[in-house]
Amino acid sequence: MLMKCPVFLLLDRSAAPSAAQKTDAMLLLRRCHGLTRFGRPSILRRHLGPAVLSHAARLSSTHDNKSDWHFSGFSWRHGLAGLLAGAGAVVAFGLQQHKAEQPAAAAQTTESISTLPVFSQEEVSKHRSLSDGVWVTYRGGVYDITEFVAMHPGGEKILLAAGGALEPFWALYAVHNQEHVLEILSEYKVGELCGEDLKKQEPTESSDPYSSDPERHPVLRINSQKPFNAEPPPEILTDSFITPSAVFFKRNHLPVPQVDPASYQLQVEGLPGGGVTFSLEDLKTRFPKHDVTATVQCAGNRRSEMDRVKQVKGLSWGISAISNAKWSGAKLRDVLLAAGYGPDVAQWARHVHFEGLDKDVTGAAYGASIPLNKAVSEEGDVLLAYEMNGEKIPPDHGFPVRVVVPGVVGARSVKWVGKIVVSAEESTSHWQQNDYKGFSPGTDWDTVDYKSAPAIQELPVQSAITSPADGALIDSSDGSVTVKGYAWSGGGREVVRVDVSLDGGQTWQVAQLRSSDEGQVPKAPPTPGRAWAWKLWELTAPLPPQVQELEIICKAVDSSYNVQPETFPPIWNLRGVLNNAWHRVTVKITEG
Amino acid sequence: MLMKCPVFLLLDRSAAPSAAQKTDAMLLLRRCHGLTRFGRPSILRRHLGPAVLSHAARLSSTHDNKSDWHFSGFSWRHGLAGLLAGAGAVVAFGLQQHKAEQPAAAAQTTESISTLPVFSQEEVSKHRSLSDGVWVTYRGGVYDITEFVAMHPGGEKILLAAGGALEPFWALYAVHNQEHVLEILSEYKVGELCGEDLKKQEPTESSDPYSSDPERHPVLRINSQKPFNAEPPPEILTDSFITPSAVFFKRNHLPVPQVDPASYQLQVEGLPGGGVTFSLEDLKTRFPKHDVTATVQCAGNRRSEMDRVKQVKGLSWGISAISNAKWSGAKLRDVLLAAGYGPDVAQWARHVHFEGLDKDVTGAAYGASIPLNKAVSEEGDVLLAYEMNGEKIPPDHGFPVRVVVPGVVGARSVKWVGKIVVSAEESTSHWQQNDYKGFSPGTDWDTVDYKSAPAIQELPVQSAITSPADGALIDSSDGSVTVKGYAWSGGGREVVRVDVSLDGGQTWQVAQLRSSDEGQVPKAPPTPGRAWAWKLWELTAPLPPQVQELEIICKAVDSSYNVQPETFPPIWNLRGVLNNAWHRVTVKITEG
């Protein structure tokens, strides 16, 4: 059997290697191995086969000592780093053209070995770690990929699929949809999944109100199943500037409603002349279509960190209840103007309410409101969106139409919006009046007065470290550490700087900020007050000498020069919202 | 003759140097020389005299090898770089206490050397460049300062005085009015100005550009006399919701211009159809008069607290470089529309510049710009104000017309505005490009890149305790303590809560907020994003039993739920701006 460095997948196969090329190939393979930094070291137990040597030889014969290694216009170091970044791989190297699944190749692979043992899903599920072995299933086959983990270009992200099916992950990361990947996989095949369990992998049905909830990507970390609330693992969150819809955090308050787009009607009320309704077709054809790239963040993002100070009430979100998408639709302003909004209404109206089509058992809908000036301002950029990342909005995100209120807490971007009401008063919804508000650390459940605090609208400046993970091991032989993360602020305030400390806040270095994916042309800077999208950031810095451990911290500064507070206790609040203290991870330095 | 590094001006003179100290001094002098980056390199032709060695020795005996050189809490590198920044030198190091001119010292210096040749003004005027030599006159003496140019803390600005009298420049930059400066100057003396030419200068000498500055209220705490910068004592700052104009903090960059209201003309440029001018009468009669109650804060408010962490450059403001007034005038938006602003202009324009009628000796005006969308938005509330608190604007605050940019750093509310320019670019003014920006705590004068940071516009959330004062005695017999202060945030974000701690931040209580004077009917809450005025706040709380001392802290939360950072070190920046860490005062409890 052959152990392959997956980087070779990118190479053509041809030409027999020379002896010198074989030596080079060995070095390259080791380097490749060393670069799989998330994986724990594993030992090369198998021999290098001729195919690997052939690829590596081609690689070494074209490399350029003066800079990065290049072949066919591809930069080895950049490319590999891209692959290592996981979801980023989707867009790397133009591989996205290989999007279609390749059942033929898969079938071929499966057919070629047919006398292996049959395993139950239960048995497969027991193999979820390097110590228990890492097993996965794919199209009815069972694969023991334990030894491949350390070589996976996406690092330990592969463990997210451990004990279950690969399909949902490969659907997300289209780089896998290649013949070479299937060839590699076939070499790890240890058995077949029993027919019954294979059938179970198909969607379940029942009469529960959540039975119509859509299937979700298994990579999501579920905080609550019903209603469904889940976030992507931090290590994939910042793989791309635009978060793929499948892994965009999900925050549902109620079951996902089934909405027929053909009969969908949006009611607009509170304006002179009575109510007006718009069909989906109306929204698409009667109003200009606007694209707005906007980050949405849950008020409870990073609640788990505040919870460690003193218990709070709410879903235990990590750092990934935030995501960034391109939303497209009609401007709310345009729709309100078409429905009768004008200067007369501006005299008395102060708020715009949104009601979702998602309802609780009493028939009450999810609801929220935003200030009128945000709703009607040309620069407010509030959308009635019918597309997310260039496709119709997925059910979990509000199909067929949702509100997107850029710069504002996610709770106001009402999904499955069915009704809009222009009003002199705020929404009376529970979520507007008795939730999503901030209080003093001294306020407890005995003293809280929800009327004393304003409903959260714009969010404060935020940032977090997505890599390395807390507790990660950093190989000191690299001599440097790369820290990555996101930063965002509410109210359209652009993040202007992210400071990173490797010594618990004693000294600070300034990170590089990005407003697009690596290699893409950066967009023009946004108009002041309309910076709706997050910034991704990165800092590579020398490892301080002689340290065994680093406390890495990030803190962002926005265009109003607001900053994040240092610690959680002074911003602690009983609902665990607005968790924007400095994010800290501690990593250990190991000798490589 | 002796060549001095001007940094030594900051040192006391005493103690004879050792041989080792002399060597150190040589090195320091070279370093000092190297740091005078604006000057062209010049060669040390003269010998070091004992006075320099004495200074340098003191310096070297206290320097810290691990970081920058420090003495008496002053960082050598930062300080020198600060001085090098030019006009900013006016405000460096609290030197403003040496405000009064010192003719006695000058006379003394002049008298001590009396047998030098006599030069005519014509001869002096021939020395205006480094190649021809740089000569200046001062109080009848002629000085060849060619070699000093490279070491001048204010950089090549010194050349503005070449061939002429120093007096007008020193009158403008009062930092020169010190004995040490005169001592340095004396060492470059090469002759006397002939009596006739000296007489001709007399009108110049007496024409102090600040001689027309208005009288000020004696209660003000003066941070700099020329230009005039002063703040009210904290204990009167929050006596009223509207700050009386007489005690409203004053922040002038240049002499107060004398403007005749009858001939005043506001030029508006950059719009289609060429320039338009408006008289004061035009502004009053052609446009609706709007009242806006807005707080103005200097970027350097509370700089003295940041300075305690590590020295920063700038006026040593306490907590009162902030005040609140009712401003009345025409909306900038209305004036721009009348001058030709419209959708076509919005296609290309991005900024609106303001130029003051206050000018430096070269004729350069104070200037700044704001983003176009702030300037033209109906909700931006930018005024061309001709009234302050119901009366014509006092000279110190911009008579007859000033800009008021609510929610934005005071530096953009240009006083004595004479010109407005609509532009695709930001103002190129020193104060827009090379001042009033924030940097990371890790950025020092060697690494600072002013282009890397955005000009401060909206300010972050702020609050401070105006009573009790730090160090105050509290009579325990009352059984309670009353704490008062102000809170404000930039960008029209309303302060929604002020938390007060009496125990150094362990526990917090919520203060009462006020938007008007006590006994007055509170105004309706502002529209979201248009809360331009501060809140006054107050908390009366029982004295904790058995304590001898309280550390009282306040921290504010604004409507975007941004909060103040806990301490100064993480927001420290070399210019000492954006000082919004928690405000802390320590009081002692006495038995009544």
Side-chain angles (χ1 to χ4, degrees):
Chain A
M1 279 244 255
L2 180 61
M3 182 157 182
K4 286 184 184 168
C5 173
V7 174
F8 300 148
L9 296 178
L10 300 161
L11 299 169
D12 283 343
R13 306 178 151 201
S14 63
S18 71
Q21 284 171 331
K22 282 183 188 175
T23 311
D24 271 349
M26 289 292 286
L27 291 170
L28 286 171
L29 198 69
R30 271 189 218 129
R31 177 162 184 166
C32 160
H33 202 258
L35 281 167
T36 58
R37 48 187 132 155
F38 298 114
R40 70 170 195 185
S42 86
I43 299 152
L44 285 173
R45 287 204 302 261
R46 305 179 197 191
H47 296 292
L48 290 169
V52 157
L53 291 177
S54 164
H55 299 331
R58 281 179 65 77
L59 183 58
S60 68
S61 68
T62 54
H63 92 248
D64 173 2
N65 282 317
K66 281 179 299 186
S67 61
D68 296 322
W69 301 333
H70 289 270
F71 48 96
S72 310
F74 166 73
S75 157
W76 161 280
R77 194 183 295 166
H78 297 153
L80 184 58
L83 277 172
L84 286 167
V90 175
V91 292
F93 323 122
L95 291 178
Q96 59 275 19
Q97 62 263 38
H98 302 272
K99 266 179 227 132
E101 288 197 15
Q102 295 169 332
Q108 206 177 24
T109 309
T110 307
E111 277 162 20
S112 66
I113 305 159
S114 55
T115 57
L116 290 165
V118 172
F119 295 105
S120 67
Q121 178 57 52
E122 191 185 349
E123 182 58 30
V124 172
S125 302
K126 289 176 184 163
H127 299 88
R128 293 179 173 274
S129 66
L130 290 167
S131 50
D132 297 330
V134 178
W135 288 19
V136 292
T137 65
Y138 184 74
R139 301 186 68 82
V142 176
Y143 302 84
D144 175 359
I145 58 164
T146 316
E147 293 197 337
F148 179 73
V149 171
M151 293 181 297
H152 180 234
E156 285 198 354
K157 283 179 189 176
I158 198 170
L159 292 177
L160 297 167
L166 279 180
E167 283 88 341
F169 295 87
W170 286 13
L172 191 65
Y173 301 122
V175 70
H176 296 92
N177 295 325
Q178 293 185 88
E179 197 180 338
H180 295 248
V181 177
L182 294 171
E183 280 180 33
I184 291 217
L185 182 66
S186 72
E187 289 161 6
Y188 295 100
K189 189 158 186 180
V190 292
E192 307 287 350
L193 190 62
C194 79
E196 201 175 325
D197 286 339
L198 182 56
K199 225 178 242 172
K200 278 190 201 150
Q201 283 188 351
E202 275 148 37
T204 51
E205 283 173 39
S206 87
S207 62
D208 142 8
Y210 290 93
S211 62
S212 302
D213 267 22
E215 272 196 271
R216 279 87 182 209
H217 200 281
V219 78
L220 293 169
R221 292 187 178 169
I222 299 173
N223 290 315
S224 149
Q225 189 73 47
K226 297 176 182 182
F228 190 74
N229 287 283
E231 63 189 304
E235 58 267 34
I236 70 166
L237 179 62
T238 52
D239 280 349
S240 56
F241 183 70
I242 298 291
T243 315
S245 305
V247 298
F248 195 105
F249 84 98
K250 323 280 180 213
R251 203 282 175 251
N252 296 344
H253 296 83
L254 295 163
V256 174
Q258 299 282 93
V259 186
D260 171 18
S263 58
Y264 170 81
Q265 293 278 316
L266 175 67
Q267 300 174 48
V268 181
E269 300 182 356
L271 293 168
V276 182
T277 62
F278 298 94
S279 69
L280 179 58
E281 195 60 15
D282 289 336
L283 293 177
K284 287 182 175 178
T285 57
R286 289 183 49 192
F287 306 98
K289 181 179 175 184
H290 291 270
D291 295 334
V292 175
T293 298
T295 296
V296 180
Q297 183 182 217
C298 176
N301 189 30
R302 302 181 59 202
R303 180 181 281 130
S304 54
E305 291 165 77
M306 185 176 278
D307 196 58
R308 274 175 233 144
V309 172
K310 194 169 81 172
Q311 187 158 25
V312 296
K313 215 172 103 175
L315 290 166
S316 189
W317 294 106
I319 64 167
S320 303
I322 182 169
S323 301
N324 188 51
K326 186 180 87 168
W327 308 96
S328 310
K331 274 205 179 181
L332 174 62
R333 169 189 164 83
D334 294 342
V335 174
L336 290 177
L337 285 167
Y341 175 80
D344 288 354
V345 179
Q347 295 298 310
W348 58 264
R350 293 291 174 271
H351 302 270
V352 176
H353 304 196
F354 309 117
E355 270 185 31
L357 295 167
D358 48 336
K359 300 204 159 100
D360 69 16
V361 283
T362 70
Y366 180 80
S369 64
I370 61 171
L372 177 79
N373 58 353
K374 173 71 178 171
V376 300
S377 158
E378 285 200 71
E379 301 200 328
D381 290 327
V382 181
L383 288 188
L384 297 173
Y386 43 78
E387 283 181 14
M388 178 181 188
N389 295 338
E391 297 182 338
K392 65 184 185 184
I393 292 186
D396 261 329
H397 294 287
F399 180 80
V401 179
R402 73 172 296 175
V403 185
V404 175
V405 189
V408 159
V409 64
R412 314 302 170 210
S413 285
V414 174
K415 300 193 278 194
W416 316 287
V417 62
K419 193 194 279 188
I420 296 174
V421 183
V422 177
S423 171
E425 307 296 336
E426 250 192 338
S427 164
T428 57
S429 155
H430 164 82
W431 293 279
Q432 191 77 17
Q433 297 298 330
N434 299 314
D435 199 352
Y436 295 119
K437 295 188 171 191
F439 295 96
S440 171
T443 301
D444 61 24
W445 288 105
D446 292 332
T447 57
V448 65
D449 171 13
Y450 266 95
K451 293 208 185 316
S452 70
I456 299 170
Q457 296 284 349
E458 293 182 0
L459 286 172
V461 60
Q462 175 71 289
S463 71
I465 298 161
T466 52
S467 173
D470 193 42
L473 303 181
I474 306 290
D475 185 344
S476 66
S477 64
D478 288 350
S480 68
V481 59
T482 295
V483 188
K484 296 182 184 190
Y486 65 79
W488 179 76
S489 188
R493 291 179 286 279
E494 187 174 10
V495 166
V496 299
R497 200 180 78 233
V498 173
D499 295 327
V500 177
S501 176
L502 301 183
D503 55 9
Q506 295 305 297
T507 62
W508 299 92
Q509 298 174 68
V510 178
Q512 287 281 355
L513 305 181
R514 274 200 286 130
S515 290
S516 58
D517 279 314
E518 279 173 296
Q520 283 188 354
V521 180
K523 291 182 192 105
T527 311
R530 293 171 86 178
W532 310 124
W534 65 11
K535 298 269 177 103
L536 301 185
W537 56 263
E538 183 170 334
L539 174 82
T540 298
L543 279 173
Q546 313 286 324
V547 295
Q548 255 101 65
E549 199 174 86
L550 300 180
E551 186 188 8
I552 308 179
I553 302 179
C554 71
K555 65 183 177 81
V557 181
D558 73 14
S559 58
S560 70
Y561 282 100
N562 270 304
V563 298
Q564 297 178 242
E566 295 169 42
T567 64
F568 279 95
I571 58 165
W572 185 95
N573 61 87
L574 75 185
R575 269 304 266 113
V577 289
L578 307 157
N579 308 286
N580 72 328
W582 296 355
H583 187 226
R584 300 160 192 259
V585 301
T586 301
V587 299
K588 290 209 187 318
I589 311 301
T590 60
E591 298 206 3
Chain B
M1 279 249 250
L2 178 62
M3 182 159 180
K4 284 185 184 170
C5 172
V7 175
F8 300 147
L9 296 177
L10 300 161
L11 298 169
D12 285 340
R13 305 179 151 201
S14 61
S18 71
Q21 285 172 331
K22 282 182 189 176
T23 311
D24 271 5
M26 289 292 287
L27 291 169
L28 287 170
L29 197 68
R30 270 185 219 133
R31 177 162 184 167
C32 160
H33 202 258
L35 281 166
T36 58
R37 47 185 133 156
F38 297 115
R40 69 170 196 184
S42 85
I43 299 152
L44 286 173
R45 286 205 303 261
R46 307 178 196 191
H47 295 293
L48 289 170
V52 157
L53 292 177
S54 163
H55 299 330
R58 281 180 62 79
L59 181 60
S60 67
S61 68
T62 53
H63 92 248
D64 173 1
N65 282 318
K66 282 179 298 187
S67 60
D68 296 320
W69 302 331
H70 288 270
F71 46 94
S72 311
F74 166 72
S75 156
W76 162 280
R77 193 186 298 168
H78 297 151
L80 182 59
L83 278 171
L84 284 170
V90 176
V91 295
F93 317 125
L95 291 178
Q96 59 279 10
Q97 60 262 39
H98 303 272
K99 273 168 239 144
E101 288 194 16
Q102 296 168 332
Q108 207 175 26
T109 310
T110 308
E111 280 163 18
S112 65
I113 304 160
S114 55
T115 57
L116 292 166
V118 174
F119 295 104
S120 67
Q121 179 58 52
E122 191 186 348
E123 181 60 29
V124 172
S125 303
K126 290 175 183 162
H127 298 89
R128 292 178 174 276
S129 67
L130 290 166
S131 50
D132 297 330
V134 178
W135 288 19
V136 293
T137 66
Y138 184 73
R139 300 185 70 80
V142 176
Y143 302 84
D144 175 358
I145 59 165
T146 315
E147 293 197 335
F148 179 72
V149 170
M151 293 183 293
H152 180 235
E156 288 198 354
K157 281 192 185 169
I158 199 171
L159 292 177
L160 296 168
L166 281 178
E167 282 87 343
F169 296 87
W170 285 15
L172 194 66
Y173 300 121
V175 71
H176 296 91
N177 295 323
Q178 294 185 87
E179 198 178 339
H180 294 238
V181 177
L182 295 171
E183 281 178 34
I184 291 219
L185 181 67
S186 72
E187 288 157 8
Y188 294 100
K189 190 159 185 179
V190 292
E192 307 288 347
L193 190 62
C194 78
E196 203 177 323
D197 287 338
L198 178 58
K199 225 179 239 171
K200 280 186 202 154
Q201 278 191 358
E202 262 157 31
T204 313
E205 276 191 41
S206 61
S207 70
D208 173 358
Y210 291 96
S211 61
S212 302
D213 266 23
E215 275 195 87
R216 279 90 181 204
H217 198 286
V219 79
L220 293 169
R221 292 186 179 172
I222 298 172
N223 289 316
S224 152
Q225 188 76 45
K226 297 177 180 183
F228 191 73
N229 287 283
E231 64 189 302
E235 58 267 34
I236 70 164
L237 179 63
T238 52
D239 280 352
S240 56
F241 183 71
I242 298 290
T243 315
S245 305
V247 298
F248 196 105
F249 84 99
K250 324 279 179 213
R251 202 283 177 250
N252 296 344
H253 295 83
L254 293 164
V256 174
Q258 300 282 96
V259 186
D260 171 19
S263 58
Y264 169 82
Q265 293 277 319
L266 175 66
Q267 299 174 49
V268 181
E269 298 181 358
L271 294 169
V276 182
T277 61
F278 297 94
S279 67
L280 179 59
E281 195 60 16
D282 288 336
L283 293 177
K284 288 184 174 177
T285 58
R286 289 182 49 193
F287 306 99
K289 180 178 174 185
H290 291 270
D291 295 335
V292 175
T293 298
T295 296
V296 180
Q297 183 181 216
C298 176
N301 189 30
R302 301 182 59 203
R303 179 180 283 130
S304 54
E305 292 164 76
M306 184 176 281
D307 195 60
R308 273 174 233 145
V309 172
K310 192 168 84 170
Q311 183 144 19
V312 296
K313 195 185 105 182
L315 287 168
S316 189
W317 293 108
I319 64 169
S320 304
I322 183 170
S323 301
N324 188 52
K326 187 180 87 170
W327 308 96
S328 309
K331 275 207 179 181
L332 174 61
R333 169 189 164 82
D334 295 341
V335 174
L336 291 177
L337 286 168
Y341 176 80
D344 288 354
V345 179
Q347 295 299 310
W348 58 265
R350 293 293 174 271
H351 302 270
V352 177
H353 304 195
F354 308 118
E355 270 185 31
L357 295 167
D358 48 337
K359 299 202 159 105
D360 70 16
V361 284
T362 71
Y366 181 80
S369 65
I370 61 171
L372 177 79
N373 58 353
K374 173 70 177 172
V376 300
S377 159
E378 285 200 71
E379 301 199 330
D381 290 328
V382 181
L383 289 188
L384 297 173
Y386 42 77
E387 283 181 15
M388 177 181 188
N389 295 337
E391 298 181 338
K392 65 183 185 184
I393 293 186
D396 262 328
H397 294 287
F399 180 79
V401 179
R402 74 172 294 173
V403 185
V404 175
V405 189
V408 159
V409 63
R412 313 303 169 208
S413 285
V414 174
K415 301 191 276 193
W416 316 288
V417 62
K419 193 194 278 188
I420 296 174
V421 183
V422 177
S423 173
E425 307 297 335
E426 248 192 339
S427 165
T428 58
S429 157
H430 165 82
W431 294 278
Q432 190 79 17
Q433 298 297 331
N434 298 314
D435 200 352
Y436 295 118
K437 294 188 170 190
F439 295 96
S440 170
T443 300
D444 61 24
W445 289 104
D446 290 333
T447 58
V448 65
D449 171 13
Y450 266 96
K451 294 209 186 315
S452 70
I456 300 170
Q457 296 285 348
E458 294 182 0
L459 286 171
V461 60
Q462 175 70 290
S463 70
I465 298 161
T466 53
S467 172
D470 192 44
L473 303 180
I474 306 289
D475 185 345
S476 66
S477 63
D478 289 350
S480 68
V481 58
T482 295
V483 187
K484 295 183 184 187
Y486 66 78
W488 180 76
S489 189
R493 292 180 285 281
E494 187 175 11
V495 166
V496 299
R497 199 179 80 233
V498 173
D499 295 328
V500 178
S501 174
L502 301 183
D503 54 10
Q506 297 304 298
T507 63
W508 298 92
Q509 299 174 65
V510 178
Q512 287 281 351
L513 304 181
R514 276 199 285 128
S515 289
S516 57
D517 280 314
E518 279 173 295
Q520 282 187 355
V521 180
K523 292 184 192 100
T527 311
R530 293 171 88 178
W532 310 123
W534 64 11
K535 298 268 178 103
L536 302 185
W537 56 262
E538 186 170 330
L539 175 82
T540 298
L543 279 173
Q546 314 286 324
V547 295
Q548 255 100 66
E549 201 174 84
L550 301 180
E551 187 188 7
I552 308 178
I553 301 178
C554 70
K555 64 182 179 77
V557 182
D558 73 15
S559 58
S560 69
Y561 282 99
N562 271 303
V563 298
Q564 298 178 240
E566 294 169 41
T567 64
F568 280 94
I571 57 164
W572 186 94
N573 61 85
L574 75 186
R575 267 306 264 115
V577 290
L578 307 156
N579 309 285
N580 72 329
W582 296 354
H583 187 226
R584 301 161 191 258
V585 300
T586 302
V587 299
K588 289 206 185 323
I589 312 301
T590 60
E591 298 205 4

